[in-house]
Amino acid sequence: VRRLPGDGGQQDEDRRAVARTEARDGPLAPHRGELPPNARIEVRDIYTVTADELGGPASFDIVLSDMAPKTTGQRDIDKARSHELFLAALRIARDVLAPGGGFVGKIFQGPDFKEAQKAVSELFEDTRIIRPEATRDVSYEVFLAGLKRRRSA
């Protein structure tokens, strides 16, 4: 579902798109602010969306993922679910990024973190771990960034 500024006719479709995402991570409200004319917001199921639905291969220069699971309070479960979401976002980045493009994804540091780092380094020439200054000391949330998508990946 594409949501363009001033396109009130999309509201019903937005609600249907939102309803499809509720079962997995809770309700998500459509964006109501102004966007640049070349921007759009897509509300899709991260596990089923295809590259063709998003514009096809090499249709994006950057993919950003700030997704996090609804936390349970059980750190091992939360870290595993974060890892799963991160890999789903990385799959989309792999499928839609143009060569030279970039990716930034949120992930909770856990036992699978090194695997996530390796997956990013296989797709990108440069990999970085970013921990924003505003992050609490007790938080295990970081961002993994991949810069310069490899042509052969």
Side-chain angles (χ1 to χ4, degrees), residues 3 14 28-35 41 43:
R3 176 102 169 88
D14 283 348
L28 179 68
H31 179 72
R32 299 288 181 226
E34 288 297 319
L35 297 172
I41 291 178
V43 179

Side-chain angles (χ1 to χ4, degrees), residues 2-148:
R2 290 192 171 101
R3 176 102 169 88
L4 302 175
D7 186 9
Q10 286 295 131
Q11 287 182 334
D12 290 339
E13 285 190 39
D14 283 348
R15 286 189 190 104
R16 281 195 296 277
V18 170
R20 284 197 305 268
T21 64
E22 282 184 19
R24 196 173 299 268
D25 288 320
L28 179 68
H31 179 72
R32 299 288 181 226
E34 288 297 319
L35 297 172
N38 63 336
R40 68 181 192 252
I41 291 178
E42 300 279 342
V43 179
R44 304 291 178 103
D45 184 321
I46 189 74
Y47 298 104
T48 62
V49 69
T50 66
D52 289 335
E53 291 175 279
L54 296 174
S59 57
F60 286 84
D61 293 318
I62 189 162
V63 172
L64 306 173
S65 171
D66 191 40
M67 292 187 296
K70 183 180 273 186
T71 56
T72 64
Q74 296 180 3
R75 286 190 170 205
D76 290 340
I77 292 171
D78 295 342
K79 290 174 184 179
R81 292 176 64 209
S82 170
H83 179 255
E84 181 183 329
L85 283 171
F86 179 86
L87 291 181
L90 187 61
R91 175 192 58 84
I92 289 173
R94 181 200 66 212
D95 293 348
V96 301
L97 277 177
F103 169 77
V104 178
K106 181 189 291 185
I107 187 168
F108 296 166
Q109 287 182 296
D112 298 321
F113 184 74
K114 291 287 185 194
E115 177 189 329
Q117 268 186 301
K118 182 176 185 247
V120 172
S121 67
E122 289 172 357
L123 284 174
F124 297 91
E125 293 178 22
D126 188 15
T127 303
R128 298 184 187 174
I129 301 170
I130 302 166
R131 184 178 174 86
E133 290 180 23
T135 303
R136 295 176 301 141
D137 290 341
V138 296
S139 176
Y140 43 94
E141 173 184 294
V142 295
F143 291 85
L144 271 178
L147 308 173
K148 301 180 198 152

